[in-house]
Amino acid sequence: MARPATRTRDLVSVSVDGRGAAWCDGFWSGDAEIIEDARLAATYRAAVPINGLKFEAHGEDALGALIALHAHLPGRTIVVESTPEFGALLAERAASDAPETWSAA
Amino acid sequence: MCRACDDANPRRCPSSSGPLRSARDRSAYAAKKAAGLTKPRRKHGPTAGHDVKGGLDAPAVKQPPTVEELNAMIAEVQHAYQGSVGVPESDPEAYFAMIEKYGSREGAVVALGTAIAERAEMHAGVTADEVEALQQANIERIKTETPEMTKRLRIDETRVEIARNHAALEEARRAGDETRAAELTAKYWELARVRDAAWKDPQYLELKELQNQAQNYRKGPVGDKLRSLADGYQKTLAEVRPMGGDMAFHERSTKKAAASFNVAAQFYPSDWIDASNSRPPAIAKIVKSRAHYFEGATQTTKKRKPVETLYFASADVDLSEDNGVYREYIPHPEKDGYGDRAWIRKDYDVHTKSGSWGTNPAAAAGSSTNPASPSARSGAAPSTAWRPSPPSASPRSPPTRTTPASSTATPPPVSPPTNSATASSQPSPASPRSNTNGGTAAPPSPTAPRRPRSTSPVARRASPAGPTASPSPTPAATTGAPPPRS
């Protein structure tokens, strides 16, 4: 009897200066400092700056969790596992109210 | 089993359910995998956007930033930083604008560094990822082809057979079996030919060269590309900030070490080098032990100096008349007292070894008519340059005075007493005195140096003043040797 197919769970992970942290279906794992800041940001729905724009963090889905994972060191966070919604959100916000930078020129 | 987690169903711990456990394990595995990723995200080049899964990527930048854009970015970040920690009080708006733009202080610096790296790679014509990919391809090729090459050329088998042959040969020689030893010797040469043929195989040599290049990053195509990258970085940094300069090293630095450091100094900002040059000069050496550096340390040079002795003479005696190339008397009015004049006597040492104390500069510059000097003895014209003493003379021994009776050279012309170079060496014809060796010794002129003044008041009272009441001549005085140093 074959094993029943399992649901594909949302997974996001980041790397901050060689330290890793991830969120998968409500579970936070990884570096203690990153996780502590991420859980605080998700709990209080903090506005986390990413690429110069503020995003609201929460722990309800992978998008909010990925934003919360940026709360520790936003400028040094490298996204390893992401969701398509995150890229779409960034592109939307960047097209609407992104400041002019040399990279966008 | 955790009964406290679920009182209703104590036999089933919720933490061990399949979905939760899989989510937890998957999260932990993802975090562990993410911890190994430290590469920054690139915005252009062959790997742009490929090292990050998901959609974080901003629109890929095809062209690297220009110098004007880099300078504007540097000015913006520097103005926002203000060299302070925390929010600067001078212009907090600029700081918050930087935070809004780049996310954080660190994000601004990372963005600036990424921009510089992209322009450096444009100058180099190659990206760091390409170099890494090339190096990795070489390593993979070595890993793949080395076992095949070793097997095809029977390198390992030949090595083992040679070792066994050698052991058997030793055993045969111990047993005295010359026939067997001859057979094994012939077999060794056959194996050696196989081994040498393997070593000369072109493919084997190519693989070995590739292996050397993989181990030494300065050789081969990888080394060339890395050099191009280094030059690109230097060129880019020089565009936004003056780079390079000449380091000022201590005079005792090793030239080879200083030249080697100056090569590396071209990669430092010019203001860093200027700041270093404004400090006491550093010393560059080549050491075999661990290198070290003390910031701001002052290098001291121990130079040999003339021995200085304090002398006292009566006020009507001018000891400077006894000046010469080997000694010099300098008045020291601060120490005058009790009707005596104080003098500082400098004893110079003249010899050919390094670290010489030199000669009296004033006397050497005037003339070298000292009878003890070679030029004077040979009748040559006086020269301002110092010439080495004859090899028979002890290099450190004090000069002995020559007399007309013992010297065959033409006596030098009498010069005024103010001539410090000749005053001490001229024998006084007024009162020649015979010494214990039968020859004429130095004249007991009042210009003869006195003993150093005794610190004992009793001795000072007992010592009469004036040239007529000079103490009895000591052996040192009769032989013309300088008085003992205090």
Side-chain angles (χ1 to χ4, degrees):
Chain A
M1 180 179 166
R3 296 181 60 185
T6 57
R7 180 174 59 92
T8 302
R9 303 178 187 280
D10 294 334
L11 174 70
V12 289
S13 62
V14 297
S15 173
V16 183
D17 293 346
R19 300 173 293 161
W23 178 92
C24 180
D25 207 10
F27 277 89
W28 303 89
S29 299
D31 185 77
E33 294 181 355
I34 303 174
I35 294 304
E36 182 180 358
D37 289 351
R39 294 183 69 175
L40 277 174
T43 303
Y44 294 102
R45 291 182 174 270
V48 180
I50 300 173
N51 283 7
L53 306 171
K54 294 285 182 63
F55 296 91
E56 184 181 330
H58 55 84
E60 299 168 358
D61 56 6
L63 181 60
L66 186 53
I67 294 170
L69 284 172
H70 280 77
H72 179 55
L73 287 173
R76 306 171 81 165
T77 302
I78 297 172
V79 177
V80 180
E81 299 278 351
S82 179
T83 60
E85 295 84 2
F86 188 61
L89 178 63
L90 283 184
E92 177 188 354
R93 291 287 299 277
S96 60
D97 51 0
E100 284 295 326
T101 64
W102 63 267
S103 57
Chain B
M1 184 175 295
C2 178
R3 293 174 179 271
C5 291
D6 191 357
D7 294 334
N9 188 6
R11 298 185 63 84
R12 299 285 296 177
C13 178
S15 62
S16 60
S17 66
L20 292 181
R21 192 173 63 233
S22 69
R24 183 192 61 207
D25 294 347
R26 194 155 178 250
S27 171
Y29 177 69
K32 185 178 178 183
K33 195 167 66 172
L37 297 178
T38 56
K39 288 169 57 180
R41 185 168 57 90
R42 309 198 66 80
K43 293 184 177 179
H44 83 288
T47 59
H50 292 290
D51 54 346
V52 178
K53 298 176 182 178
L56 178 62
D57 297 341
V61 179
K62 301 301 180 185
Q63 295 297 328
T66 62
V67 178
E68 291 76 16
E69 290 171 340
L70 279 181
N71 285 327
M73 196 172 178
I74 291 170
E76 176 190 10
V77 175
Q78 282 182 342
H79 178 68
Y81 254 104
Q82 297 286 340
S84 62
V85 177
V87 180
E89 298 178 355
S90 58
D91 193 358
E93 296 299 328
Y95 176 79
F96 288 122
M98 178 187 70
I99 297 298
E100 287 288 331
K101 191 171 181 179
Y102 301 107
S104 64
R105 280 172 167 247
E106 294 83 5
V109 177
V110 169
L112 181 57
T114 306
I116 289 177
E118 290 175 357
R119 184 160 182 83
E121 290 176 349
M122 182 202 69
H123 285 310
V126 63
T127 64
D129 291 339
E130 292 174 0
V131 180
E132 185 182 357
L134 178 61
Q135 174 74 0
Q136 197 62 34
N138 289 343
I139 291 174
E140 292 298 327
R141 184 184 167 194
I142 292 167
K143 286 182 178 178
T144 307
E145 295 186 6
T146 300
E148 300 173 0
M149 190 74 65
T150 305
K151 189 175 181 181
R152 182 174 68 82
L153 299 175
R154 301 182 67 249
I155 293 175
D156 291 344
E157 291 84 347
T158 307
R159 185 181 293 120
V160 171
E161 288 180 13
I162 287 177
R164 287 175 179 168
N165 188 79
H166 186 74
L169 180 61
E170 292 292 322
E171 188 177 355
R173 282 176 177 170
R174 279 197 299 271
D177 190 352
E178 296 297 333
T179 308
R180 172 72 174 158
E183 293 175 358
L184 292 173
T185 304
K187 187 181 178 182
Y188 167 75
W189 287 113
E190 293 177 4
L191 293 171
R193 276 192 289 275
V194 175
R195 179 194 61 190
D196 295 347
W199 286 353
K200 294 175 183 175
D201 186 81
Q203 295 182 2
Y204 180 78
L205 293 178
E206 181 189 355
L207 197 62
K208 278 294 178 185
E209 179 62 24
L210 196 64
Q211 196 168 358
N212 290 336
Q213 292 177 6
Q215 292 175 348
N216 189 349
Y217 284 82
R218 287 174 294 184
K219 291 182 178 178
V222 176
D224 296 342
K225 291 181 185 299
L226 285 176
R227 170 51 55 192
S228 300
L229 272 177
D231 294 341
Y233 270 95
Q234 188 185 18
K235 187 175 180 182
T236 305
L237 291 174
E239 288 174 347
V240 298
R241 188 172 186 179
M243 301 287 290
D246 288 332
M247 280 283 295
F249 287 107
H250 194 264
E251 59 182 358
R252 297 195 65 186
S253 298
T254 308
K255 290 183 179 178
K256 187 177 178 182
S260 175
F261 190 90
N262 271 329
V263 172
Q266 305 312 310
F267 291 88
Y268 286 92
S270 297
D271 51 346
W272 290 14
I273 295 177
D274 295 341
S276 176
N277 289 343
S278 64
R279 291 175 169 274
I283 188 167
K285 292 179 179 178
I286 295 176
V287 295
K288 294 182 179 179
S289 59
R290 183 176 179 178
H292 56 275
Y293 173 72
F294 292 103
E295 201 275 336
T298 305
Q299 303 293 335
T300 57
T301 304
K302 293 183 178 178
K303 290 183 178 179
R304 303 185 69 179
K305 295 185 295 185
V307 177
E308 296 184 0
T309 314
L310 183 63
Y311 278 82
F312 291 93
S314 59
D316 54 348
V317 174
D318 187 8
L319 290 183
S320 65
E321 295 177 357
D322 204 24
N323 284 356
V325 294
Y326 301 115
R327 68 185 64 86
E328 179 185 15
Y329 289 93
I330 302 172
H332 193 51
E334 291 82 3
K335 292 287 185 180
D336 289 348
Y338 299 101
D340 293 346
R341 291 178 64 189
W343 298 82
I344 295 289
R345 168 173 166 162
K346 287 187 175 182
D347 285 295
Y348 295 92
D349 191 4
V350 181
H351 53 84
T352 59
K353 291 183 179 179
S354 62
S356 170
W357 303 351
T359 58
N360 181 3
S367 66
S368 61
T369 54
N370 181 22
S373 65
S375 61
R377 280 195 300 273
S378 61
S383 172
T384 55
W386 177 82
R387 299 185 181 183
S389 58
S392 58
S394 175
R396 298 294 300 276
S397 59
T400 55
R401 299 189 180 192
T402 58
T403 61
S406 59
S407 174
T408 57
T410 306
V414 177
S415 56
T418 55
N419 189 336
S420 60
T422 56
S424 63
S425 58
Q426 290 303 315
S428 173
S431 58
R433 174 178 292 185
S434 299
N435 61 3
T436 54
N437 296 332
T440 51
S445 65
T447 60
R450 303 301 198 273
R451 278 176 172 276
R453 190 173 195 173
S454 172
T455 55
S456 170
V458 178
R460 288 183 59 230
R461 281 196 300 272
S463 173
T468 56
S470 60
S472 60
T474 61
T478 55
T479 56
R485 295 163 182 167
S486 60

